[in-house]
Amino acid sequence: MAAAADLFIQRLPEVSVRELHVLAVDDSHVDRKVIERLLKISSCKVTVVDSGTRALQYLGLDGGEKNSSIDFDSMKVNLIMTDYSMPGMTGFELLKKIKESSIFREIPVVVMSSENILTRIDSCLEEGAEEFLLKPVKLSDVKRVTDFIMRGEGMKGGKRSQKRRRSDDCIPSLTTELSPLSPSTLASKKSKL
């Protein structure tokens, strides 16, 4: 079957081979639609699910048998974007499960949250998240992440690059993007950096 898949991929145009397949996980219907739209604008194939449990089911990590009628090559996921705060299984717990998997640990995971909590950001990055994005996610965020993955900077020779962003690398851009802050609050936050 692998030889057939290789032959199939060789016959595809160059653009199709480079298309990212992103698994987007969010319990909010509105946020799922927003991230799906941003990813499609960025020329990504998108699969959306509403929970960490459903993401594990889609990936076949839920302990159940995979549906044999599903074409595994069409399901190949190149990037997982997950909300942090979800009922049942949080995005952090989903991240841990993915990174514990021998099959899926090399897939880059991006965690998204509307809460700018530094300990949460650090925990996700230490656990192996490629990036932590503050909501609302913007097209520029999605393009930055997808361009990073497409250039192969998230993966080097089958192993993840050690050049992950630390939360303190992200804070200046995140702080300046927070619109409801007063100028004095913004100045005090910048001075703490």
Side-chain angles (χ1 to χ4, degrees):
M1 181 161 154
D6 290 341
L7 181 62
F8 177 72
I9 289 173
Q10 289 173 356
R11 291 184 185 181
L12 291 175
E14 184 68 27
V15 175
S16 296
V17 173
R18 293 185 46 89
E19 181 181 57
L20 284 179
H21 181 190
V22 182
L23 177 60
V25 187
D26 203 311
D27 61 313
S28 164
H29 177 74
V30 172
D31 287 344
R32 276 196 314 274
K33 288 295 183 190
V34 168
I35 196 67
E36 180 179 22
R37 179 83 172 134
L38 292 174
L39 287 164
K40 285 184 176 180
I41 289 170
S42 299
S43 301
C44 295
K45 177 181 174 184
V46 186
T47 300
V48 293
V49 293
D50 62 0
S51 69
T53 304
R54 293 224 190 260
L56 291 178
Q57 289 171 346
Y58 182 82
L59 295 170
L61 291 175
D62 62 339
E65 288 187 32
K66 288 187 131 180
N67 185 343
S68 60
S69 66
I70 295 174
D71 176 16
F72 184 73
D73 288 331
S74 70
M75 288 180 29
K76 184 178 180 201
V77 173
N78 307 102
L79 173 65
I80 298 168
M81 295 184 76
T82 182
D83 183 29
Y84 183 92
S85 298
M86 295 184 291
M89 177 183 291
T90 67
F92 181 71
E93 293 167 331
L94 175 61
L95 169 67
K96 286 175 67 170
K97 293 250 186 218
I98 291 166
K99 295 306 174 182
E100 290 169 359
S101 164
S102 60
I103 298 171
F104 297 106
R105 78 169 53 118
E106 297 300 328
I107 295 176
V109 178
V110 173
V111 180
M112 306 171 289
S113 179
S114 57
E115 300 171 312
N116 188 7
I117 301 172
L118 295 180
T119 55
R120 180 180 291 178
I121 295 169
D122 284 338
S123 295
C124 289
L125 294 174
E126 286 172 12
E127 193 62 41
E130 194 69 41
E131 181 74 80
F132 192 98
L133 300 176
L134 279 182
K135 290 182 177 182
V137 175
K138 295 177 274 322
L139 183 58
S140 60
D141 296 327
V142 170
K143 286 198 175 286
R144 186 182 74 243
V145 169
T146 56
D147 288 349
F148 180 78
I149 302 302
M150 291 295 284
R151 285 192 315 261
E153 293 179 18
M155 304 284 286
K156 298 280 186 198
K159 293 193 177 184
R160 182 163 313 287
S161 167
Q162 295 302 313
K163 295 182 81 176
R164 278 197 202 101
R165 291 178 180 224
R166 296 187 333 259
S167 62
D168 51 325
D169 293 339
C170 302
I171 294 170
S173 63
L174 297 177
T175 305
T176 57
E177 291 175 7
L178 296 174
S179 55
L181 295 178
S182 68
S184 62
T185 305
L186 184 59
S188 71
K189 286 191 179 282
K190 283 184 178 179
S191 69
K192 291 179 184 177
L193 295 174

